[in-house]
Amino acid sequence: MNTASIISIKNMTKRFPVGKGEFTALENINLEFGEGEFAGLVGPSGSGKTTLLNIIGSLDSPTEGTATVMGKNIAQLSHKESALLRNLHIGFIFQSYNLLPVYTVFENVEFALLLQNHTASERRKAVMDALEWVGLTDKVKSKPAMLSGGEGQRVAIARAMVKRPKILLADEPSANLDAKNSHQILKTMKQLNKELKTTFIFSTHDEKVMQYLDRTISLADGKVVKDELTVAANAG
Ligand SMILES: Nc1ncnc2c1ncn2[C@@H]1O[C@H](COP(=O)(O)OP(=O)(O)OP(=O)(O)O)[C@@H](O)[C@H]1O
Ligand SMILES: [Mg+2]
């Protein structure tokens, strides 16, 4: 990797307490991610993909070893410091996409920008750009309950991308999308990846997502079993 490393995971193990014992969800992981990567975690259900994304996103910390994100050892961050890291630099698309039901589509996306210093008109422009990326400018005034599953997923994607984060973590982002929308959104993500050098890390089972990845990391039983550069179908 000749680009600067923005995520560095060393000898990292994650155990969860279960009853009186422990469950090892990730075991001795070593991974580096550079600026502008477009990578995916693949592997069976329960292999540790979400657990790894949560640690990279500083929502959780390692039991052993270290995870360093943008120069910060995330186990050593205070609550406030990890919130700041997420607010400024990390976009999330969760497996369950968590829209706020009383707010409109516009407000749900705008929400991601409220903790940063932008004027209302800067926010408006950024929100409309993000909704255009996902093809939802006609739904700005809708509430989440009025949207289809795939539309809700696209709002969650717009909300994660609107602040143009350095790192975008996407947990099964295409779960509720049809083929046409999946391809449109992946092309948009790839474009942002190229233009803004955002590092994307997906977790996915979806062949449609896999064909866009530049790097595919396979997990099995909490271990990295393969880490390979892949030739993206739509490179260039
Ligand atoms: N908070 C927790 N407490 C106990 N065990 C947990 C916890 N979170 C995850 N696990 C266990 O760790 C393992 C990895 O879970 P994880 O959610 O990372 O899997 P995954 O690869 O994302 O699976 P999927 O494809 O189904 O989303 C699973 O066996 C899960 O049951
Ligand atoms: Mg998962």
Side-chain angles (χ1 to χ4, degrees), residues 9-229:
I9 295 167
K10 293 211 160 76
N11 305 320
M12 196 270 282
T13 292
K14 177 66 182 180
R15 295 193 189 91
F16 291 110
V18 177
K20 286 188 177 136
E22 286 183 322
F23 179 82
T24 303
L26 293 171
E27 193 172 347
N28 197 30
I29 305 285
N30 285 285
L31 286 170
E32 300 279 329
F33 294 91
E35 190 174 55
E37 286 209 43
F38 205 80
L41 308 174
V42 305
S45 179
S47 57
K49 304 180 297 293
T50 297
T51 304
L52 183 53
L53 289 181
N54 286 345
I55 291 173
I56 293 170
S58 82
L59 293 171
D60 206 347
S61 32
T63 311
E64 287 164 25
T66 56
T68 307
V69 177
M70 300 193 65
K72 314 262 191 214
N73 179 341
I74 61 129
Q76 290 173 354
L77 297 180
S78 68
H79 234 66
K80 225 176 176 174
E81 288 167 331
S82 71
L84 191 67
L85 177 70
R86 287 193 299 273
N87 286 336
L88 292 179
H89 299 303
I90 304 175
F92 273 99
I93 301 164
F94 293 98
Q95 212 161 359
S96 59
Y97 38 85
N98 303 333
L99 300 178
L100 301 165
V102 299
Y103 293 107
T104 64
V105 164
F106 183 92
E107 290 161 343
N108 264 282
V109 177
E110 186 186 33
F111 194 76
L113 295 174
L114 290 179
L115 293 159
Q116 301 179 11
N117 293 320
H118 297 290
T119 64
S121 71
E122 284 167 349
R123 284 203 303 272
R124 178 164 184 84
K125 162 117 185 38
V127 171
M128 292 311 289
D129 283 350
L131 287 172
E132 191 161 344
W133 296 334
V134 298
L136 280 180
T137 47
D138 56 335
K139 299 280 183 191
V140 281
K141 296 200 170 101
S142 301
K143 300 268 173 76
M146 299 155 66
L147 303 173
S148 72
E151 287 167 348
Q153 189 88 320
R154 282 144 71 198
V155 177
I157 292 169
R159 180 181 56 186
M161 297 202 303
V162 69
K163 60 187 176 181
R164 300 172 185 238
K166 293 296 294 175
I167 299 169
L168 195 135
L169 305 173
D171 200 356
E172 303 279 355
S174 61
N176 297 296
L177 298 178
D178 61 31
K180 183 167 163 270
N181 277 315
S182 293
H183 284 294
Q184 193 209 319
I185 281 164
L186 280 154
K187 283 193 181 122
T188 304
M189 288 175 160
K190 197 97 201 205
Q191 200 180 329
L192 292 169
N193 163 252
K194 288 222 174 84
E195 283 175 21
L196 307 175
K197 288 214 165 76
T198 305
T199 298
F200 282 74
I201 307 176
F202 295 88
S203 110
T204 191
H205 293 110
D206 185 349
E207 284 291 334
K208 293 191 295 297
V209 174
M210 288 181 209
Q211 63 180 281
Y212 286 84
L213 300 176
D214 296 331
R215 176 182 178 189
T216 305
I217 297 160
S218 305
L219 295 180
D221 291 328
K223 299 191 191 79
V224 174
V225 292
K226 213 193 292 175
D227 182 354
E228 56 190 349
L229 296 179

